[in-house]
Amino acid sequence: MAEPTAGLLRHASLRDQVLELVRHALVSGEIKPGDIYSASALAARLQVSSSPVREAMLTLVNQGLMEPVRNRGFRVIPMSDQDLDEVYEMRVLLELPGTLKAAARITDADLERLRALAKDIEAAAEDGDVVRFLDADRQFHLDLLGCGGNKRLVDSVATLRDQTRLYGLENLAERGVLIDSAREHREILAAIADGDTAGLEELLRTHLRHIRSDWARS
């Protein structure tokens, strides 16, 4: 097989950067469910070519976050109550046993890295920075899951988490739920360090219930 060229590597990197920017726009509400966005318009706004933008949007289509609109662009798929119920159920089924397995394999170095992330989450919560909070929260839970050694599980949960983040975020900071949720990460790590499996399971269930309570609007 031929070696990848530097140009291809730069293109892939640009696509990933665009994908991250679009994700941030979804989380912040700058890109809204139901509205249609053209790849060319977003490319002009980001001052890049249309190709990596289109590829980034197609990645989100494959993940169930957007849908193509013929001859017009891409639309963010709104999350219904049924969608949110399904995502919550899937995350409990996957994330709970996956995190318990990871906790049994975690190292001291892993715990130190995760404690640093937990501090970042709390700092973002205190600042009311929703995007930074969600970025750090996502990294914390996926890193913790990764300690279990199942990359496919981590990828599946990552997609489910991204779908959840499209729902009910606009007033999250104003409703005062960030700080309480942030503190739960320290409690999760304390339970892991103490080997308290029962306590850890209850903390994880409480944390996941935010999907269908604090994190969702009727």
Side-chain angles (χ1 to χ4, degrees):
M1 185 176 71
E3 290 293 327
T5 66
L8 287 174
L9 291 175
R10 285 195 296 270
H11 179 81
S13 175
L14 183 57
R15 178 200 61 210
D16 292 342
Q17 291 177 50
V18 171
L19 181 59
E20 190 65 20
L21 288 171
V22 174
R23 286 190 188 281
H24 282 184
L26 289 169
V27 168
S28 66
E30 186 177 354
I31 292 180
K32 300 181 183 299
D35 291 350
I36 297 174
Y37 299 88
S38 72
S40 59
L42 283 175
R45 183 172 169 184
L46 296 172
Q47 298 183 337
V48 297
S49 65
S50 295
S51 180
V53 175
R54 188 172 294 107
E55 290 179 14
M57 305 289 258
L58 287 172
T59 297
L60 294 171
V61 169
N62 291 334
Q63 293 176 351
L65 304 179
M66 304 189 83
E67 60 185 1
V69 180
R70 186 176 178 84
N71 298 326
R72 297 185 65 189
F74 299 86
R75 175 169 51 209
V76 180
I77 300 175
M79 292 287 286
S80 67
D81 283 342
Q82 177 64 28
D83 293 327
L84 208 56
D85 285 339
E86 291 177 2
V87 169
Y88 170 69
E89 182 178 356
M90 287 296 296
R91 283 188 60 183
V92 170
L93 290 171
L94 294 175
E95 202 165 342
L96 184 59
T99 303
L100 292 175
K101 175 185 175 183
R105 299 185 175 191
I106 205 163
T107 67
D108 290 340
D110 293 328
L111 282 172
E112 284 304 307
R113 185 180 69 256
L114 289 165
R115 288 187 181 112
L117 282 172
K119 289 181 180 178
D120 290 343
I121 294 169
E122 291 194 48
E126 290 169 0
D127 292 341
D129 189 335
V130 175
V131 173
R132 184 159 59 95
F133 172 88
L134 292 178
D135 279 346
D137 176 78
R138 185 179 191 274
Q139 186 178 352
F140 176 95
H141 288 286
L142 296 184
D143 279 6
L144 176 52
L145 269 179
C147 295
N150 189 329
K151 184 180 182 300
R152 287 179 174 83
L153 173 63
V154 174
D155 290 343
S156 296
V157 171
T159 297
L160 289 168
R161 290 179 65 88
D162 290 341
Q163 291 176 353
T164 306
R165 295 310 189 231
L166 301 183
Y167 193 93
L169 295 178
E170 289 84 350
N171 299 314
L172 191 60
E174 289 83 352
R175 290 162 57 196
V177 301
L178 286 180
I179 294 176
D180 287 342
S181 178
R183 289 171 181 157
E184 291 172 4
H185 298 84
R186 272 191 294 144
E187 296 171 1
I188 288 170
L189 293 179
I192 293 174
D194 293 341
D196 182 4
T197 302
L200 174 60
E201 182 172 352
E202 181 56 34
L203 284 167
L204 291 171
R205 289 186 183 277
T206 298
H207 200 64
L208 286 170
R209 278 196 291 270
H210 290 306
I211 301 168
R212 288 308 285 123
S213 56
D214 298 331
W215 293 62
R217 294 178 306 175
S218 58

